Amino acid sequence: MVKESSKKAATQVEIAELLGISQVTVHRALSGHQRVSEKTRKRILKAAEEIGYQANFFASQLRSKSPKLLVLGVSYLQDPYCIDITESFERTAAARGYRIFLAHLHDEMSSMTFHREILGAHGVKSLALVGGSSPRVSDEVISDLLDAGMNVALLGRSLNHPRATQVVSNDIKGGRLAADHFYSLGLRSSWVFVVDGAEAVSARAYAYCDRMKELGLPEPRILRMPWRSNISEIFEAAHSVIDRAFTEYPLPEGIFCIGLTQAMAVSRAARKRSMQFGKDFRLVGYGDTWQSQFFYPSITTIRQPAVEIGRAGAECLIDVLEGRREAGSVISFEPSLMVRDT
């Protein structure tokens, strides 16, 4: 009769002791090794089920000479855009037999260094960084990871590094789309919202300003806000900046935000002042998620194909790892304008 398992997780040692066989035999049976008879395998599997044994996939993979693990670093787990990329990446990796080790990069890159040292020592050689504009994810950090032998993919953002694989949405095109939209509506004066230290997404603002100049329109007023590490802080900081701008400057005909959270803050500040979109000014945000559709009023945005970016990122990283592709390639998806209430 098999005794009840304790609260502590059951181990292969317990199975071996219970059945009076070696731990090596138990390990081989649970790993699908051919050098175990079918009769013994069934006994071991039955005992494992009865005592509640669960295989630790990650531990077994770390012991493997060729682990099928990918490290996925995400800047903002609160951000639906990052979530969409992450879920798509994970589904694609799973379909090719890989599992994900998730690292949340909300505060410091030291956590990524830790994961690199721990996992790198066990042969995990591929890392993806998802979205975000954290100034801590710098060229120096990427270089350090690459020099340590990691294959690095940047998903949903760009960095000027020739050895890092990049899967991005064309931010230059996105910024120009916003400018062309305002121009098509006959708007002339505008503000553009930027984030200090967020060089990874600054191309959107630069492209917007350049396109406005090409169209012969007045130079946009730049509204700057400090970089913040989480969505709620970004929202509050953006709301403070736009609320002050509404007080200090003449109202523009259009406002372009390089992020969706800033656009939501603009919308809330405008509603508090009883402003009406279409009558007082127009608003375009960046990043098309469920929030932009169901926020009231719904927000016109530049859509980045997050699902496609996640899928392509996983495929690229695995192809590099398996020798099917050279590292350092750039895959760019075209953004699109999603016109809504604002």
Side-chain angles (χ1 to χ4, degrees):
M1 181 176 179
V2 178
K3 60 184 178 182
E4 292 184 3
S5 61
S6 62
K7 293 182 180 180
K8 189 173 67 173
T11 67
Q12 293 184 12
V13 173
E14 291 179 65
I15 298 174
E17 292 177 348
L18 181 66
L19 298 177
I21 59 178
S22 71
Q23 185 184 350
V24 173
T25 301
V26 172
H27 176 72
R28 285 176 176 171
L30 295 175
S31 301
H33 202 286
Q34 294 182 353
R35 292 176 60 185
V36 179
S37 69
E38 190 61 27
K39 181 180 179 180
T40 301
R41 189 189 311 279
K42 287 181 178 180
R43 285 182 64 215
I44 292 171
L45 292 176
K46 184 175 184 295
E49 182 179 358
E50 290 178 342
I51 71 171
Y53 172 80
Q54 291 184 334
N56 188 327
F57 174 86
F58 291 100
S60 64
Q61 285 294 295
L62 289 175
R63 290 191 294 269
S64 170
K65 292 183 179 179
S66 301
K68 286 200 165 188
L69 279 178
L70 303 176
V71 182
L72 187 62
V74 184
S75 297
Y76 296 109
L77 283 175
Q78 301 166 308
D79 186 351
Y81 172 64
C82 289
I83 293 172
D84 287 346
I85 293 179
T86 300
E87 290 180 343
S88 178
F89 184 98
E90 185 173 19
R91 285 195 301 269
T92 304
R96 293 188 59 171
Y98 285 77
R99 296 289 185 90
I100 304 304
F101 189 103
L102 186 64
H104 189 193
L105 309 181
H106 67 289
D107 48 10
E108 297 181 5
M109 282 303 293
S110 58
S111 61
M112 182 54 65
T113 301
F114 169 78
H115 293 313
R116 182 205 69 204
E117 291 173 351
I118 296 298
L119 298 178
H122 292 279
V124 178
K125 295 296 184 181
S126 293
L127 161 71
L129 295 175
V130 179
S133 55
S134 166
R136 299 186 180 100
V137 188
S138 63
D139 279 345
E140 289 76 17
V141 171
I142 302 301
S143 296
D144 181 47
L145 294 168
L146 287 163
D147 291 343
M150 284 275 187
N151 297 313
V152 179
L154 306 176
L155 312 182
R157 59 164 293 170
S158 298
L159 273 180
N160 185 23
H161 200 296
R163 292 181 294 153
T165 299
Q166 300 179 55
V167 184
V168 299
S169 178
N170 187 336
D171 280 345
I172 302 294
K173 175 73 175 294
R176 294 175 69 87
L177 280 175
D180 287 340
H181 175 61
F182 285 162
Y183 182 74
S184 71
L185 296 174
L187 311 186
R188 293 185 57 80
S189 63
S190 66
W191 296 347
V192 57
F193 228 123
V194 300
V195 181
D196 288 334
E199 294 302 318
V201 294
S202 294
R204 304 168 187 175
Y206 298 149
Y208 173 83
C209 292
D210 288 345
R211 182 57 177 161
M212 295 296 273
K213 183 177 180 180
E214 290 175 6
L215 294 170
L217 299 177
E219 182 178 351
R221 179 181 296 277
I222 306 296
L223 301 181
R224 297 186 176 277
M225 62 165 283
W227 179 83
R228 291 290 184 263
S229 61
N230 64 63
I231 298 299
S232 60
E233 290 179 357
I234 293 172
F235 186 92
E236 293 303 325
H239 187 274
S240 175
V241 170
I242 193 65
D243 205 41
R244 186 169 63 251
F246 280 154
T247 301
E248 296 179 356
Y249 308 121
L251 191 66
E253 296 173 285
I255 300 177
F256 172 50
C257 300
I258 64 171
L260 180 59
T261 305
Q262 290 91 342
M264 292 168 64
V266 171
S267 179
R268 187 175 78 168
R271 283 187 287 117
K272 285 175 61 177
R273 294 170 178 266
S274 299
M275 296 177 179
Q276 297 180 21
F277 291 105
K279 179 180 179 181
D280 294 305
F281 69 94
R282 294 282 186 173
L283 172 66
V284 174
Y286 211 103
D288 190 60
T289 69
W290 64 267
Q291 292 170 309
S292 57
Q293 300 175 50
F294 297 110
F295 197 80
Y296 181 79
S298 61
I299 300 174
T300 295
T301 62
I302 304 299
R303 177 185 180 273
Q304 301 164 283
V307 173
E308 293 89 337
I309 288 172
R311 182 186 305 120
E315 293 286 1
C316 283
L317 202 56
I318 293 171
D319 284 347
V320 170
L321 184 61
E322 296 180 350
R324 304 171 188 269
R325 177 193 294 265
E326 293 293 326
S329 60
V330 178
I331 297 177
S332 180
F333 290 93
E334 291 298 295
S336 55
L337 178 69
M338 308 299 292
V339 179
R340 297 193 178 91
D341 294 342
T342 65

